[in-house]
Amino acid sequence: MKSKKLCAFSIFIVLLLIITGCSSANEKASSQESNEKSVTMLFSFASKTMDPHQDWMGVRAGVAETLVRINENLEIQPWLAEAWERKDKQTWTFKIREGVAFHDGTPVDGEAVKASFERVLETNEAISSSLKIESMEADGQEITFVNTEEYPAFLSELVHTNASIVKADAENIGEQPIATGPFKVTSFTSETEVNLERYEDYWDGAAKLDQVKIKFNSDGNVRALALQSGEADIAYHLPPESLEPIESNDKLRVESVPSLRVHFLLYNNANSALQDVNVRKALDLLVNRPVAVKEIMNGHATEAAGPFNPNFAFAGETEPTSYDPEKAKELLKEAGYQKNADGKMEKDGEVLKLRLATYAGRPELPLLAQYLQGEAASVGVTIEIVTIENIDSYLWEQQEEWDMVTYSNLTAPRGDGGYFLNVAYLPEGALNPGQINIPELNELTQQLNTTADPEKRMELQKKAVNIIQKDVPHSFILHPHIIVGVNDRVKDWEPGSEEYYLITNKMDVK
């Protein structure tokens, strides 16, 4: 009996030691985990893919890089390419940095860069159109591009995130691209989240953070609450009305950065009523820009007179259109509209009724839509609002179902207006779902595309802005600030006006 008790006691001691050992191991593991530096970011626009050739998140997440980039002054700087030379009007040669490797350790040379560009030209029609590459030749650490025509804007177009360099023959690029950035993807759930870990052999020095999680949520109020609860360290594109509790929290801060984008009304030229410039001008007069800046944006914006931020010399000198509903009524009458017995604007027995699409990814846009709806009703114009989840697909794939949209675009992301003039106004432009086609503007844009002299480019862009302001293919409302909520534990980081480089190797936590 004594032997049995002794045996049982011995077993108890052994189990206790095992449990204690496991507990110590767990505590050690927990301690190690707590020493890891990590950041969680909430972003407003969900990525369906991590393929850098198809989505901006590759560069934004610090996974992929381009040959050149822009700095805070919108100046083009070396990145994967350490130098370049324009050989003639159509030929450019770039020297790739020595010592750069993909995430799998494969060296990056001219052939690797050439293969990456061959892939993007094949898989992305929009970027292929904007790059205008006729041929490429690789030689050691150099790659030479020949454009289809004289194209001085080629260098700035290489800043585009879709021009990223990836290992072209890698598998599963949509979920785990192999690129050159300071972080690599460990897991990706489409439209939900992406998890990143530090790439130890990054050419510009290993990142200070061990891990980064980027979660997607289109609800601005949810993003704001997640920041306040500690679920997120950085929350992008916060609604202006949600800022007060964040600003009053001594552990949080709000970064409000003037952006290079514009919020605007995009008109669908397929609508016969909107083909009349007087109708477009009337709607433009119903936009109360000072109210939009003060009441909807809480001052985190600047009134817009055209597509480009007024700080740019090529933005033009015209003042923003003044709110004038009486003048709007006059223009509608000039367009042949009269109020019927119900107080609705009518022409040839047809009431002026417009379908306005908006989306919640930028929370102020639905508010701008509702405000315009009320102003339009006051002059007899009926606006029906529809909220769309995937606005870009909707605009292109269902062009007959919308008449206007509250939209937002970066218009001079590389410090030059040529990008927006090409993509938003040329008939084949990647951002022209409204089917805008203004021959005078098309001709001027084509001239701009072959002009290298900075002064001449500036004058051409000013002329383009004058045409846009006269023809009103868009109604520009305001230039929003990028409003980002940040936990004070995040250091050595701030949002940039270009909206390209969100996660870097320099950012850290306390």
Side-chain angles (χ1 to χ4, degrees):
M1 189 71 179
K2 185 176 179 181
S3 175
K4 287 182 180 180
K5 286 183 178 179
L6 183 61
C7 181
F9 180 73
S10 299
I11 293 172
F12 172 75
I13 293 297
V14 171
L15 288 173
L16 183 62
L17 289 172
I18 291 172
I19 292 169
T20 303
C22 289
S23 177
S24 298
N26 288 337
E27 285 178 10
K28 185 176 180 181
S30 177
S31 176
Q32 288 177 338
E33 287 179 11
S34 65
N35 287 332
E36 286 193 340
K37 293 182 177 182
S38 65
V39 158
T40 297
M41 174 182 286
L42 266 180
F43 200 70
S44 48
F45 297 100
S47 293
K48 288 186 176 181
T49 176
M50 280 302 293
D51 184 347
H53 289 166
Q54 305 298 325
D55 190 276
W56 290 29
M57 191 48 68
V59 168
R60 283 174 165 167
V63 173
E65 299 169 310
T66 47
L67 292 181
V68 293
R69 60 173 292 166
I70 52 174
N71 63 14
E72 62 275 9
N73 298 318
L74 304 180
E75 299 163 334
I76 294 178
Q77 302 289 302
W79 210 6
L80 290 181
E82 64 180 7
W84 55 87
E85 180 183 0
R86 190 181 184 195
K87 298 283 190 179
D88 57 44
K89 292 181 178 180
Q90 293 175 245
T91 309
W92 302 74
T93 296
F94 292 79
K95 185 179 180 182
I96 311 304
R97 291 182 187 276
E98 298 278 357
V100 177
F102 288 116
H103 294 149
D104 66 349
T106 306
V108 177
D109 57 13
E111 284 293 346
V113 172
K114 179 172 179 276
S116 181
F117 273 95
E118 287 172 342
R119 180 180 184 272
V120 74
L121 295 180
E122 181 180 341
T123 60
N124 188 324
E125 185 178 346
I127 197 70
S128 176
S129 175
S130 66
L131 291 177
K132 304 181 190 296
I133 295 173
E134 183 177 90
S135 64
M136 295 177 284
E137 183 178 341
D139 180 15
Q141 288 300 113
E142 291 190 347
I143 181 167
T144 298
F145 298 93
V146 178
N147 295 131
T148 57
E149 59 191 54
E150 182 180 359
Y151 192 38
F154 177 67
L155 183 63
S156 65
E157 287 303 314
L158 289 177
V159 174
H160 197 296
T161 61
N162 290 156
S164 298
I165 306 306
V166 303
K167 190 175 182 185
D169 60 356
E171 297 180 0
N172 199 20
I173 293 179
E175 292 187 9
Q176 288 187 298
I178 296 176
T180 63
F183 291 91
K184 53 186 180 180
V185 179
T186 57
S187 67
F188 171 68
T189 303
S190 180
E191 299 186 88
T192 302
E193 69 178 37
V194 56
N195 290 285
L196 312 167
E197 70 176 10
R198 178 173 56 205
Y199 172 43
E200 298 293 348
D201 296 322
Y202 178 54
W203 64 270
D204 194 31
K208 295 178 181 177
L209 297 176
D210 297 284
Q211 297 178 340
V212 174
K213 181 190 292 289
I214 300 174
K215 302 172 74 173
F216 307 117
N217 194 302
S218 63
D219 190 319
N221 291 314
V222 169
R223 294 195 299 274
L225 290 172
L227 178 72
Q228 294 171 61
S229 70
E231 179 186 340
D233 300 296
I234 302 172
Y236 253 80
H237 303 136
L238 296 181
E241 68 273 12
S242 72
L243 299 182
E244 186 177 347
I246 296 172
E247 292 172 327
S248 62
N249 189 320
D250 60 6
K251 294 182 180 179
L252 305 174
R253 68 181 186 271
V254 172
E255 300 275 3
S256 181
V257 182
S259 74
L260 304 181
R261 70 172 52 247
V262 67
H263 288 352
F264 62 104
L265 289 173
L266 189 158
Y267 299 115
N268 192 342
N269 199 52
N271 181 299
S272 58
L274 293 174
Q275 290 171 7
D276 190 324
V277 67
N278 282 330
V279 175
R280 298 196 300 273
K281 285 182 176 180
L283 292 167
D284 191 58
L285 289 165
L286 296 177
V287 178
N288 194 326
R289 291 162 178 84
V291 167
V293 168
K294 183 179 179 181
E295 296 186 9
I296 294 179
M297 298 299 296
N298 284 352
H300 293 274
T302 304
E303 293 178 45
F308 307 118
N309 191 296
N311 290 329
F312 287 119
F314 52 79
E317 299 172 359
T318 304
E319 293 295 316
T321 303
S322 297
Y323 170 71
D324 193 340
E326 292 305 316
K327 181 69 179 297
K329 292 178 186 177
E330 293 176 13
L331 288 172
L332 289 172
K333 287 181 180 179
E334 288 182 30
Y337 288 90
Q338 297 288 337
K339 281 191 176 181
N340 61 19
D342 297 323
K344 305 292 185 183
M345 285 291 181
E346 184 179 295
K347 179 181 179 181
D348 300 329
E350 188 171 339
V351 169
L352 183 55
K353 184 177 181 179
L354 302 168
R355 195 174 209 213
L356 172 59
T358 190
Y359 55 102
R362 298 191 183 277
E364 61 272 20
L365 294 184
L367 298 178
L368 290 170
Q370 292 166 19
Y371 186 85
L372 181 66
Q373 182 184 49
E375 292 296 332
S378 71
V379 300
V381 177
T382 300
I383 290 181
E384 174 196 0
I385 296 175
V386 291
T387 302
I388 306 299
E389 182 69 25
N390 192 329
I391 192 68
D392 292 307
S393 297
Y394 174 80
L395 296 181
W396 283 103
E397 296 170 9
Q398 296 169 268
Q399 287 184 324
E400 296 179 357
E401 295 190 15
W402 62 275
D403 304 307
M404 301 186 295
V405 59
T406 53
Y407 210 48
S408 182
N409 275 133
L410 286 166
T411 54
R414 276 83 83 184
D416 184 273
Y419 159 76
F420 192 68
L421 296 175
N422 275 273
V423 298
Y425 297 109
L426 290 183
E428 68 276 13
L431 297 176
N432 188 8
Q435 305 169 65
I436 298 165
N437 189 354
I438 307 171
E440 183 184 5
L441 183 58
N442 298 342
E443 183 179 342
L444 194 148
T445 301
Q446 297 291 2
Q447 185 181 348
L448 177 68
N449 289 342
T450 58
T451 300
D453 181 78
E455 291 298 322
K456 290 181 179 178
R457 286 186 67 81
M458 187 178 299
E459 288 305 312
L460 288 171
Q461 290 174 81
K462 284 183 177 180
K463 289 180 180 179
V465 171
N466 288 336
I467 294 170
I468 292 166
Q469 289 168 332
K470 179 182 177 182
D471 204 74
V472 199
H474 299 142
S475 283
F476 301 99
I477 304 172
L478 55 85
H479 300 285
H481 289 190
I482 304 165
I483 307 175
V484 186
V486 188
N487 190 302
D488 278 338
R489 69 185 291 268
V490 178
K491 62 179 185 177
D492 299 329
W493 182 88
E494 61 183 22
S497 60
E498 83 296 320
E499 301 184 54
Y500 282 175
Y501 316 114
L502 307 189
I503 302 297
T504 73
N505 64 323
K506 308 298 182 185
M507 65 190 303
D508 204 351
V509 292
K510 295 177 183 177

